[in-house]
PDB file of all heavy atoms in Angstrom:
ATOM      1  N   ASP B 277     -47.838  -4.507  19.821  1.00  0.00           N
ATOM      2  CA  ASP B 277     -46.924  -3.561  20.475  1.00  0.00           C
ATOM      3  C   ASP B 277     -46.893  -3.681  21.986  1.00  0.00           C
ATOM      4  O   ASP B 277     -45.929  -3.295  22.627  1.00  0.00           O
ATOM      5  CB  ASP B 277     -47.214  -2.073  20.173  1.00  0.00           C
ATOM      6  CG  ASP B 277     -47.060  -1.730  18.711  1.00  0.00           C
ATOM      7  OD1 ASP B 277     -46.521  -2.566  17.975  1.00  0.00           O
ATOM      8  OD2 ASP B 277     -47.480  -0.635  18.321  1.00  0.00           O
ATOM      9  N   ASP B 278     -47.980  -4.213  22.565  1.00  0.00           N
ATOM     10  CA  ASP B 278     -48.056  -4.338  24.015  1.00  0.00           C
ATOM     11  C   ASP B 278     -47.687  -3.049  24.735  1.00  0.00           C
ATOM     12  O   ASP B 278     -46.745  -3.013  25.525  1.00  0.00           O
ATOM     13  CB  ASP B 278     -47.149  -5.485  24.504  1.00  0.00           C
ATOM     14  CG  ASP B 278     -47.432  -5.822  25.968  1.00  0.00           C
ATOM     15  OD1 ASP B 278     -48.562  -5.574  26.417  1.00  0.00           O
ATOM     16  OD2 ASP B 278     -46.509  -6.304  26.638  1.00  0.00           O
ATOM     17  N   LEU B 279     -48.410  -2.005  24.452  1.00  0.00           N
ATOM     18  CA  LEU B 279     -48.181  -0.738  25.149  1.00  0.00           C
ATOM     19  C   LEU B 279     -48.605  -0.890  26.604  1.00  0.00           C
ATOM     20  O   LEU B 279     -49.366  -1.790  26.947  1.00  0.00           O
ATOM     21  CB  LEU B 279     -48.980   0.369  24.457  1.00  0.00           C
ATOM     22  CG  LEU B 279     -48.599   0.540  22.985  1.00  0.00           C
ATOM     23  CD1 LEU B 279     -49.357   1.684  22.357  1.00  0.00           C
ATOM     24  CD2 LEU B 279     -47.098   0.743  22.822  1.00  0.00           C
ATOM     25  N   GLU B 280     -48.113   0.000  27.436  1.00  0.00           N
ATOM     26  CA  GLU B 280     -48.291  -0.234  28.865  1.00  0.00           C
ATOM     27  C   GLU B 280     -49.744  -0.308  29.328  1.00  0.00           C
ATOM     28  O   GLU B 280     -50.072  -1.088  30.191  1.00  0.00           O
ATOM     29  CB  GLU B 280     -47.520   0.788  29.699  1.00  0.00           C
ATOM     30  CG  GLU B 280     -48.064   2.191  29.625  1.00  0.00           C
ATOM     31  CD  GLU B 280     -47.380   3.093  30.659  1.00  0.00           C
ATOM     32  OE1 GLU B 280     -46.617   2.577  31.518  1.00  0.00           O
ATOM     33  OE2 GLU B 280     -47.616   4.282  30.622  1.00  0.00           O
ATOM     34  N   TRP B 281     -50.613   0.478  28.716  1.00  0.00           N
ATOM     35  CA  TRP B 281     -51.996   0.427  29.174  1.00  0.00           C
ATOM     36  C   TRP B 281     -52.768  -0.750  28.608  1.00  0.00           C
ATOM     37  O   TRP B 281     -53.900  -1.007  28.985  1.00  0.00           O
ATOM     38  CB  TRP B 281     -52.732   1.723  28.885  1.00  0.00           C
ATOM     39  CG  TRP B 281     -52.352   2.384  27.600  1.00  0.00           C
ATOM     40  CD1 TRP B 281     -51.520   3.445  27.460  1.00  0.00           C
ATOM     41  CD2 TRP B 281     -52.763   2.017  26.293  1.00  0.00           C
ATOM     42  NE1 TRP B 281     -51.393   3.764  26.145  1.00  0.00           N
ATOM     43  CE2 TRP B 281     -52.139   2.921  25.404  1.00  0.00           C
ATOM     44  CE3 TRP B 281     -53.590   1.021  25.774  1.00  0.00           C
ATOM     45  CZ2 TRP B 281     -52.319   2.842  24.021  1.00  0.00           C
ATOM     46  CZ3 TRP B 281     -53.768   0.947  24.407  1.00  0.00           C
ATOM     47  CH2 TRP B 281     -53.136   1.853  23.553  1.00  0.00           C
ATOM     48  N   SER B 282     -52.145  -1.485  27.688  1.00  0.00           N
ATOM     49  CA  SER B 282     -52.825  -2.671  27.170  1.00  0.00           C
ATOM     50  C   SER B 282     -53.019  -3.684  28.286  1.00  0.00           C
ATOM     51  O   SER B 282     -53.899  -4.533  28.240  1.00  0.00           O
ATOM     52  CB  SER B 282     -51.998  -3.292  26.048  1.00  0.00           C
ATOM     53  OG  SER B 282     -51.799  -2.352  25.021  1.00  0.00           O
ATOM     54  N   ALA B 283     -52.182  -3.580  29.292  1.00  0.00           N
ATOM     55  CA  ALA B 283     -52.264  -4.516  30.407  1.00  0.00           C
ATOM     56  C   ALA B 283     -53.361  -4.129  31.379  1.00  0.00           C
ATOM     57  O   ALA B 283     -53.872  -4.963  32.122  1.00  0.00           O
ATOM     58  CB  ALA B 283     -50.932  -4.564  31.140  1.00  0.00           C
ATOM     59  N   VAL B 284     -53.740  -2.875  31.387  1.00  0.00           N
ATOM     60  CA  VAL B 284     -54.647  -2.402  32.428  1.00  0.00           C
ATOM     61  C   VAL B 284     -56.023  -1.997  31.932  1.00  0.00           C
ATOM     62  O   VAL B 284     -56.880  -1.632  32.723  1.00  0.00           O
ATOM     63  CB  VAL B 284     -54.020  -1.215  33.180  1.00  0.00           C
ATOM     64  CG1 VAL B 284     -52.830  -1.685  33.987  1.00  0.00           C
ATOM     65  CG2 VAL B 284     -53.635  -0.123  32.223  1.00  0.00           C
ATOM     66  N   SER B 285     -56.228  -2.026  30.637  1.00  0.00           N
ATOM     67  CA  SER B 285     -57.562  -1.684  30.166  1.00  0.00           C
ATOM     68  C   SER B 285     -58.528  -2.770  30.635  1.00  0.00           C
ATOM     69  O   SER B 285     -58.119  -3.809  31.137  1.00  0.00           O
ATOM     70  CB  SER B 285     -57.564  -1.572  28.640  1.00  0.00           C
ATOM     71  OG  SER B 285     -57.231  -2.814  28.056  1.00  0.00           O
ATOM     72  N   ALA B 286     -59.800  -2.513  30.493  1.00  0.00           N
ATOM     73  CA  ALA B 286     -60.783  -3.492  30.945  1.00  0.00           C
ATOM     74  C   ALA B 286     -61.630  -3.920  29.749  1.00  0.00           C
ATOM     75  O   ALA B 286     -62.442  -3.140  29.304  1.00  0.00           O
ATOM     76  CB  ALA B 286     -61.671  -2.875  32.022  1.00  0.00           C
ATOM     77  N   PRO B 287     -61.470  -5.110  29.226  1.00  0.00           N
ATOM     78  CA  PRO B 287     -60.472  -6.110  29.640  1.00  0.00           C
ATOM     79  C   PRO B 287     -59.085  -5.757  29.107  1.00  0.00           C
ATOM     80  O   PRO B 287     -58.980  -4.918  28.228  1.00  0.00           O
ATOM     81  CB  PRO B 287     -60.990  -7.379  28.947  1.00  0.00           C
ATOM     82  CG  PRO B 287     -61.624  -6.858  27.699  1.00  0.00           C
ATOM     83  CD  PRO B 287     -62.269  -5.566  28.094  1.00  0.00           C
ATOM     84  N   GLY B 288     -58.057  -6.424  29.644  1.00  0.00           N
ATOM     85  CA  GLY B 288     -56.698  -6.238  29.136  1.00  0.00           C
ATOM     86  C   GLY B 288     -56.642  -6.718  27.695  1.00  0.00           C
ATOM     87  O   GLY B 288     -57.375  -7.630  27.308  1.00  0.00           O
ATOM     88  N   ILE B 289     -55.809  -6.084  26.897  1.00  0.00           N
ATOM     89  CA  ILE B 289     -55.764  -6.429  25.481  1.00  0.00           C
ATOM     90  C   ILE B 289     -54.673  -7.459  25.183  1.00  0.00           C
ATOM     91  O   ILE B 289     -53.508  -7.254  25.522  1.00  0.00           O
ATOM     92  CB  ILE B 289     -55.517  -5.161  24.632  1.00  0.00           C
ATOM     93  CG1 ILE B 289     -56.702  -4.205  24.780  1.00  0.00           C
ATOM     94  CG2 ILE B 289     -55.293  -5.524  23.170  1.00  0.00           C
ATOM     95  CD1 ILE B 289     -56.482  -2.844  24.163  1.00  0.00           C
ATOM     96  N   THR B 290     -55.081  -8.564  24.579  1.00  0.00           N
ATOM     97  CA  THR B 290     -54.111  -9.556  24.134  1.00  0.00           C
ATOM     98  C   THR B 290     -53.272  -8.900  23.058  1.00  0.00           C
ATOM     99  O   THR B 290     -53.802  -8.277  22.143  1.00  0.00           O
ATOM    100  CB  THR B 290     -54.833 -10.782  23.547  1.00  0.00           C
ATOM    101  OG1 THR B 290     -55.565 -11.420  24.600  1.00  0.00           O
ATOM    102  CG2 THR B 290     -53.828 -11.761  22.965  1.00  0.00           C
ATOM    103  N   SER B 291     -51.974  -9.001  23.191  1.00  0.00           N
ATOM    104  CA  SER B 291     -51.138  -8.251  22.277  1.00  0.00           C
ATOM    105  C   SER B 291     -49.845  -8.991  21.974  1.00  0.00           C
ATOM    106  O   SER B 291     -49.562 -10.039  22.542  1.00  0.00           O
ATOM    107  CB  SER B 291     -50.829  -6.883  22.902  1.00  0.00           C
ATOM    108  OG  SER B 291     -50.166  -6.041  21.990  1.00  0.00           O
ATOM    109  N   ILE B 292     -49.090  -8.430  21.041  1.00  0.00           N
ATOM    110  CA  ILE B 292     -47.777  -8.972  20.742  1.00  0.00           C
ATOM    111  C   ILE B 292     -46.763  -8.016  21.331  1.00  0.00           C
ATOM    112  O   ILE B 292     -46.764  -6.833  20.998  1.00  0.00           O
ATOM    113  CB  ILE B 292     -47.543  -9.039  19.228  1.00  0.00           C
ATOM    114  CG1 ILE B 292     -48.620  -9.866  18.573  1.00  0.00           C
ATOM    115  CG2 ILE B 292     -46.157  -9.550  18.941  1.00  0.00           C
ATOM    116  CD1 ILE B 292     -48.207 -11.227  18.156  1.00  0.00           C
ATOM    117  N   SER B 293     -45.949  -8.534  22.198  1.00  0.00           N
ATOM    118  CA  SER B 293     -44.987  -7.674  22.872  1.00  0.00           C
ATOM    119  C   SER B 293     -43.752  -7.464  22.008  1.00  0.00           C
ATOM    120  O   SER B 293     -43.043  -8.393  21.663  1.00  0.00           O
ATOM    121  CB  SER B 293     -44.620  -8.327  24.199  1.00  0.00           C
ATOM    122  OG  SER B 293     -43.328  -7.974  24.564  1.00  0.00           O
ATOM    123  N   LEU B 294     -43.506  -6.214  21.641  1.00  0.00           N
ATOM    124  CA  LEU B 294     -42.310  -5.895  20.867  1.00  0.00           C
ATOM    125  C   LEU B 294     -41.308  -5.237  21.802  1.00  0.00           C
ATOM    126  O   LEU B 294     -41.514  -4.115  22.238  1.00  0.00           O
ATOM    127  CB  LEU B 294     -42.645  -4.910  19.749  1.00  0.00           C
ATOM    128  CG  LEU B 294     -43.667  -5.350  18.715  1.00  0.00           C
ATOM    129  CD1 LEU B 294     -43.790  -4.286  17.628  1.00  0.00           C
ATOM    130  CD2 LEU B 294     -43.262  -6.669  18.102  1.00  0.00           C
ATOM    131  N   PRO B 295     -40.242  -5.921  22.127  1.00  0.00           N
ATOM    132  CA  PRO B 295     -39.295  -5.350  23.089  1.00  0.00           C
ATOM    133  C   PRO B 295     -38.474  -4.224  22.449  1.00  0.00           C
ATOM    134  O   PRO B 295     -37.348  -4.438  22.005  1.00  0.00           O
ATOM    135  CB  PRO B 295     -38.408  -6.525  23.482  1.00  0.00           C
ATOM    136  CG  PRO B 295     -38.866  -7.685  22.679  1.00  0.00           C
ATOM    137  CD  PRO B 295     -39.832  -7.234  21.662  1.00  0.00           C
ATOM    138  N   ALA B 296     -39.052  -3.038  22.427  1.00  0.00           N
ATOM    139  CA  ALA B 296     -38.398  -1.904  21.782  1.00  0.00           C
ATOM    140  C   ALA B 296     -37.094  -1.530  22.485  1.00  0.00           C
ATOM    141  O   ALA B 296     -36.105  -1.197  21.845  1.00  0.00           O
ATOM    142  CB  ALA B 296     -39.340  -0.707  21.761  1.00  0.00           C
ATOM    143  N   ARG B 297     -37.114  -1.604  23.801  1.00  0.00           N
ATOM    144  CA  ARG B 297     -35.900  -1.255  24.546  1.00  0.00           C
ATOM    145  C   ARG B 297     -34.767  -2.198  24.168  1.00  0.00           C
ATOM    146  O   ARG B 297     -33.638  -1.784  23.953  1.00  0.00           O
ATOM    147  CB  ARG B 297     -36.121  -1.355  26.057  1.00  0.00           C
ATOM    148  CG  ARG B 297     -37.284  -0.559  26.606  1.00  0.00           C
ATOM    149  CD  ARG B 297     -37.069  -0.294  28.093  1.00  0.00           C
ATOM    150  NE  ARG B 297     -36.010   0.674  28.242  1.00  0.00           N
ATOM    151  CZ  ARG B 297     -36.215   1.991  28.252  1.00  0.00           C
ATOM    152  NH1 ARG B 297     -37.429   2.476  28.150  1.00  0.00           N
ATOM    153  NH2 ARG B 297     -35.208   2.808  28.354  1.00  0.00           N
ATOM    154  N   GLU B 298     -35.113  -3.467  24.124  1.00  0.00           N
ATOM    155  CA  GLU B 298     -34.105  -4.471  23.804  1.00  0.00           C
ATOM    156  C   GLU B 298     -33.518  -4.182  22.419  1.00  0.00           C
ATOM    157  O   GLU B 298     -32.317  -4.277  22.210  1.00  0.00           O
ATOM    158  CB  GLU B 298     -34.776  -5.843  23.815  1.00  0.00           C
ATOM    159  CG  GLU B 298     -33.824  -6.994  23.880  1.00  0.00           C
ATOM    160  CD  GLU B 298     -34.596  -8.309  23.849  1.00  0.00           C
ATOM    161  OE1 GLU B 298     -35.806  -8.323  24.195  1.00  0.00           O
ATOM    162  OE2 GLU B 298     -33.982  -9.318  23.449  1.00  0.00           O
ATOM    163  N   MET B 299     -34.388  -3.802  21.512  1.00  0.00           N
ATOM    164  CA  MET B 299     -33.931  -3.499  20.158  1.00  0.00           C
ATOM    165  C   MET B 299     -32.965  -2.314  20.173  1.00  0.00           C
ATOM    166  O   MET B 299     -31.914  -2.349  19.522  1.00  0.00           O
ATOM    167  CB  MET B 299     -35.128  -3.197  19.267  1.00  0.00           C
ATOM    168  CG  MET B 299     -34.764  -2.994  17.823  1.00  0.00           C
ATOM    169  SD  MET B 299     -36.241  -2.846  16.803  1.00  0.00           S
ATOM    170  CE  MET B 299     -36.767  -1.184  17.204  1.00  0.00           C
ATOM    171  N   GLY B 300     -33.310  -1.294  20.934  1.00  0.00           N
ATOM    172  CA  GLY B 300     -32.445  -0.124  21.017  1.00  0.00           C
ATOM    173  C   GLY B 300     -31.083  -0.474  21.593  1.00  0.00           C
ATOM    174  O   GLY B 300     -30.037  -0.052  21.085  1.00  0.00           O
ATOM    175  N   THR B 301     -31.099  -1.268  22.644  1.00  0.00           N
ATOM    176  CA  THR B 301     -29.843  -1.658  23.286  1.00  0.00           C
ATOM    177  C   THR B 301     -28.973  -2.459  22.336  1.00  0.00           C
ATOM    178  O   THR B 301     -27.778  -2.198  22.182  1.00  0.00           O
ATOM    179  CB  THR B 301     -30.148  -2.492  24.546  1.00  0.00           C
ATOM    180  OG1 THR B 301     -31.017  -1.737  25.383  1.00  0.00           O
ATOM    181  CG2 THR B 301     -28.876  -2.808  25.292  1.00  0.00           C
ATOM    182  N   HIS B 302     -29.586  -3.444  21.680  1.00  0.00           N
ATOM    183  CA  HIS B 302     -28.808  -4.254  20.740  1.00  0.00           C
ATOM    184  C   HIS B 302     -28.264  -3.416  19.591  1.00  0.00           C
ATOM    185  O   HIS B 302     -27.128  -3.596  19.169  1.00  0.00           O
ATOM    186  CB  HIS B 302     -29.669  -5.386  20.183  1.00  0.00           C
ATOM    187  CG  HIS B 302     -29.829  -6.519  21.143  1.00  0.00           C
ATOM    188  ND1 HIS B 302     -28.748  -7.199  21.669  1.00  0.00           N
ATOM    189  CD2 HIS B 302     -30.927  -7.094  21.687  1.00  0.00           C
ATOM    190  CE1 HIS B 302     -29.193  -8.135  22.494  1.00  0.00           C
ATOM    191  NE2 HIS B 302     -30.513  -8.091  22.529  1.00  0.00           N
ATOM    192  N   ALA B 303     -29.090  -2.515  19.088  1.00  0.00           N
ATOM    193  CA  ALA B 303     -28.651  -1.681  17.965  1.00  0.00           C
ATOM    194  C   ALA B 303     -27.439  -0.854  18.379  1.00  0.00           C
ATOM    195  O   ALA B 303     -26.456  -0.750  17.635  1.00  0.00           O
ATOM    196  CB  ALA B 303     -29.792  -0.779  17.509  1.00  0.00           C
ATOM    197  N   ALA B 304     -27.498  -0.293  19.565  1.00  0.00           N
ATOM    198  CA  ALA B 304     -26.379   0.517  20.045  1.00  0.00           C
ATOM    199  C   ALA B 304     -25.112  -0.323  20.109  1.00  0.00           C
ATOM    200  O   ALA B 304     -24.061   0.066  19.591  1.00  0.00           O
ATOM    201  CB  ALA B 304     -26.703   1.099  21.420  1.00  0.00           C
ATOM    202  N   ASN B 305     -25.216  -1.481  20.711  1.00  0.00           N
ATOM    203  CA  ASN B 305     -24.034  -2.329  20.838  1.00  0.00           C
ATOM    204  C   ASN B 305     -23.478  -2.733  19.488  1.00  0.00           C
ATOM    205  O   ASN B 305     -22.273  -2.689  19.260  1.00  0.00           O
ATOM    206  CB  ASN B 305     -24.373  -3.588  21.644  1.00  0.00           C
ATOM    207  CG  ASN B 305     -24.617  -3.264  23.100  1.00  0.00           C
ATOM    208  OD1 ASN B 305     -24.166  -2.228  23.595  1.00  0.00           O
ATOM    209  ND2 ASN B 305     -25.342  -4.126  23.784  1.00  0.00           N
ATOM    210  N   ALA B 306     -24.372  -3.133  18.600  1.00  0.00           N
ATOM    211  CA  ALA B 306     -23.928  -3.611  17.292  1.00  0.00           C
ATOM    212  C   ALA B 306     -23.249  -2.489  16.511  1.00  0.00           C
ATOM    213  O   ALA B 306     -22.196  -2.692  15.891  1.00  0.00           O
ATOM    214  CB  ALA B 306     -25.115  -4.152  16.500  1.00  0.00           C
ATOM    215  N   LEU B 307     -23.815  -1.300  16.578  1.00  0.00           N
ATOM    216  CA  LEU B 307     -23.256  -0.202  15.798  1.00  0.00           C
ATOM    217  C   LEU B 307     -21.894   0.224  16.351  1.00  0.00           C
ATOM    218  O   LEU B 307     -20.933   0.433  15.600  1.00  0.00           O
ATOM    219  CB  LEU B 307     -24.216   0.989  15.792  1.00  0.00           C
ATOM    220  CG  LEU B 307     -23.854   2.094  14.795  1.00  0.00           C
ATOM    221  CD1 LEU B 307     -23.813   1.539  13.383  1.00  0.00           C
ATOM    222  CD2 LEU B 307     -24.858   3.233  14.876  1.00  0.00           C
ATOM    223  N   VAL B 308     -21.807   0.314  17.650  1.00  0.00           N
ATOM    224  CA  VAL B 308     -20.533   0.722  18.251  1.00  0.00           C
ATOM    225  C   VAL B 308     -19.456  -0.321  17.954  1.00  0.00           C
ATOM    226  O   VAL B 308     -18.312   0.018  17.613  1.00  0.00           O
ATOM    227  CB  VAL B 308     -20.680   0.946  19.770  1.00  0.00           C
ATOM    228  CG1 VAL B 308     -19.317   1.130  20.419  1.00  0.00           C
ATOM    229  CG2 VAL B 308     -21.551   2.167  20.033  1.00  0.00           C
TER     230      VAL B 308
END
Side-chain angles (χ1 to χ4, degrees):
Chain B
D277 297 348
D278 192 26
L279 301 183
E280 69 171 351
W281 36 259
S282 302
V284 292
S285 62
I289 296 171
T290 295
S291 188
I292 303 255
S293 151
L294 300 184
R297 305 202 72 89
E298 196 181 338
M299 185 173 75
T301 305
H302 282 303
N305 290 339
L307 191 59
V308 170

